[in-house]
Amino acid sequence: MATIAKDRPMMSGGSLVLIAAASVAVFTTLASWLFLVLMTRQSRRRHLPDHTPPVSIYKPLKGLDEGLEENLRSFFQLDYPTYQLLFCVADPEDPAIEVVRRLLAEYPDHDAELIIGCSVFGLNPKVESLAMMDRVRRHDVILISDSNVRVRPEYLRETACYLAEPGVGLVTNLFTGVGERSFGAALENLQLNGFVAGNVAWGNGMGMTCVVGKSMLIPAHVLAAIGGFAGVRNLLAEDQAIGMRVRRAGYTIRLSHHVIENVNRSRSLRWFLNRHSRWFKIRRQMAGPLFVIEPLGNLSTVALAWAFSDVSGIAWGGLLALISLGIVRDAAQSKLLRGHTPSLKTLALSPIKDLFLMPIWFDALINPRVIWRGNRLIVGRYTRLRLARVPRHVHVRVRNIRRLRARG
């Protein structure tokens, strides 16, 4: 017996590390899945009254998002007693203006208004738009909503009810990616419905601040107490920063059980990578140590590292098990959030999506630059922004002045 024990190969330290990493990946996947199930239960609001304070809805717009007209029309069709719709477009030539004007003509009885042009307010163009709309707000509760969001009629009612709880200063929503037709859109929706949705639910369930600006309901007095929009005008992650300031001010944050839709139909691979490059750099600055260990939640990467570390059957079996778990998670959470599972062709992209994201994660560790709405920016601590280079229009202005001086 002793001889047999001596001949048995000892497991190396590297193998133990990989098995531990795989265990963490499985645990975090199952835990986030469980929290998502708990956070989407309809029973979560049964103890809350039908609380419907008048709301001013802020919709900052830029360009023609996919399905923009239907996205905005869904806000004209809300089942809610009193609400004001405000749309803001910075560029007078923006094609979104015509879309809004058509809807204003279609729904003339709604309290809705289009604002064109923004005063210079900071480096975050979304916050500039929000500050412009805040000047014509009529109600004491504000809903900030992105243009790529589509909602059901009961959305506002099932979100505002959480404000009835004492001490609640902000309510946000889970969201699901829908409508994929292209390769990039399929990757985006898998990531939103899988990793992102699960971790947003887990973070909120554990009492951490995890706020996404697609849907933020906040009383005006709470926003004023944390410094208003001026305090976040130069931050890339104004949504998370608002959430952190709300919590520091002594208020609580609630995650509504109502799931909203994020429409992604024909996105390109480049768009997908650029978007998540920004999100990785946001999490690097805001999450700190949690961002460093984030690859442990990337099932495909852990699976490949485990498989190629050993030629044993258990290693390759682990590869199949972890990849299968990722596909099952994305399928089950998509079904939970949007009512149907993606096609098998789409689900087969789940491990490919994970592998595409790893180089983007490494880039976020060493590269603070982002391209956002045509601007090259550097992301600093707490996502504070500064221009990476002098804007083109400044170069043009200086060149014209030099020409005039040369002629004179």
Side-chain angles (χ1 to χ4, degrees):
M1 295 294 290
T3 303
I4 294 174
K6 285 182 179 180
D7 292 339
R8 185 179 298 163
M10 297 293 292
M11 190 172 291
S12 67
S15 296
L16 290 173
V17 169
L18 286 168
I19 291 174
S23 300
V24 171
V26 171
F27 171 77
T28 56
T29 298
L30 295 177
S32 60
W33 192 349
L34 175 61
F35 273 100
L36 187 64
V37 172
L38 295 175
M39 289 293 176
T40 52
R41 291 184 307 168
Q42 290 284 335
S43 59
R44 289 183 62 229
R45 67 145 295 177
R46 287 179 183 170
H47 68 287
L48 295 173
D50 190 21
H51 184 61
T52 55
V55 175
S56 290
I57 302 175
Y58 295 177
K59 301 287 291 187
L61 307 178
K62 181 177 174 60
L64 295 177
D65 275 311
E66 294 182 319
L68 178 64
E69 187 161 346
E70 288 304 313
N71 297 346
L72 300 184
R73 180 177 282 110
S74 69
F75 283 82
F76 283 90
Q77 298 172 344
L78 292 173
D79 174 23
Y80 200 80
T82 305
Y83 65 97
Q84 174 191 21
L85 269 174
L86 295 171
F87 305 93
C88 184
V89 182
D91 184 359
E93 303 298 321
D94 197 305
I97 292 173
E98 290 306 313
V99 175
V100 176
R101 284 175 174 165
R102 284 199 300 271
L103 291 170
L104 293 177
E106 184 179 342
Y107 297 92
D109 296 332
H110 272 66
D111 183 5
E113 183 178 348
L114 170 63
I115 301 167
I116 301 175
C118 290
S119 302
V120 176
F121 190 63
L123 289 177
N124 186 321
K126 177 180 176 180
V127 177
E128 279 190 345
S129 295
L130 296 176
M132 285 297 295
M133 290 182 280
D134 203 45
R135 298 177 182 180
V136 294
R137 169 177 57 84
R138 293 194 182 94
H139 304 307
D140 293 332
V141 176
I142 299 166
L143 173 65
I144 300 169
S145 172
D146 283 353
S147 58
N148 58 8
V149 164
R150 187 174 299 177
V151 298
R152 301 190 302 277
E154 63 273 16
Y155 155 65
L156 190 51
R157 190 179 292 271
E158 293 190 349
T159 303
C161 65
Y162 289 88
L163 288 178
E165 293 184 335
V168 173
L170 189 150
V171 185
T172 187
N173 293 74
L174 288 164
F175 55 95
T176 177
V178 299
E180 64 274 0
R181 296 174 185 169
S182 67
F183 180 67
L187 298 183
E188 174 69 5
N189 289 344
L190 286 172
Q191 180 70 358
L192 293 184
N193 298 340
F195 179 85
V196 173
N199 281 277
V200 168
W202 190 4
N204 279 276
M206 295 296 292
M208 294 185 287
T209 303
C210 191
V211 176
V212 181
K214 294 186 183 300
S215 176
M216 297 171 57
L217 188 72
I218 182 170
H221 71 271
V222 175
L223 182 62
I226 63 171
F229 292 122
V232 296
R233 60 185 175 177
N234 291 319
L235 302 181
L236 178 60
E238 83 291 333
D239 45 7
Q240 178 70 359
I242 288 174
M244 294 173 69
R245 294 179 181 204
V246 166
R247 199 177 290 279
R248 282 201 297 266
Y251 297 95
T252 57
I253 298 173
R254 294 300 307 272
L255 182 66
S256 171
H257 66 281
H258 187 101
V259 180
I260 59 178
E261 293 182 347
N262 181 183
V263 180
N264 295 296
R265 292 176 179 166
S266 304
R267 303 296 191 184
S268 66
L269 175 61
R270 181 177 181 179
W271 181 93
F272 167 75
L273 296 176
N274 282 339
R275 172 172 175 144
H276 286 280
S277 175
R278 293 196 305 273
W279 281 20
F280 274 132
K281 288 168 186 178
I282 286 172
R283 295 202 292 275
R284 177 180 178 268
Q285 296 297 335
M286 303 295 274
L290 290 177
F291 175 76
V292 175
I293 63 173
E294 192 170 297
L296 293 178
N298 190 314
L299 291 166
S300 299
T301 301
V302 175
L304 281 177
W306 190 9
F308 284 104
S309 69
D310 197 344
V311 295
S312 67
I314 188 172
W316 289 99
L319 169 71
L320 293 175
L322 290 176
I323 288 178
S324 298
L325 177 60
I327 293 173
V328 171
R329 174 201 62 192
D330 292 347
Q333 292 186 184
S334 294
K335 172 72 172 177
L336 176 67
L337 292 170
R338 65 185 194 177
H340 62 90
T341 57
S343 66
L344 292 177
K345 181 180 178 181
T346 299
L347 288 172
L349 299 176
S350 181
I352 297 174
K353 173 258 302 178
D354 287 349
L355 296 179
F356 271 135
L357 288 172
M358 277 312 299
I360 305 300
W361 178 86
F362 278 111
D363 175 70
L365 286 177
I366 60 175
N367 178 17
R369 297 171 183 265
V370 298
I371 300 175
W372 186 40
R373 295 192 175 188
N375 298 313
R376 292 182 179 273
L377 303 164
I378 295 176
V379 184
R381 187 171 176 80
Y382 297 116
T383 73
R384 185 166 295 280
L385 296 170
R386 60 187 177 90
L387 290 172
R389 65 179 184 182
V390 177
R392 183 175 179 276
H393 71 273
V394 175
H395 284 296
V396 172
R397 188 180 303 170
V398 170
R399 187 165 60 246
N400 290 339
I401 291 172
R402 286 174 177 170
R403 286 174 180 171
L404 290 171
R405 285 177 177 172
R407 292 172 185 172

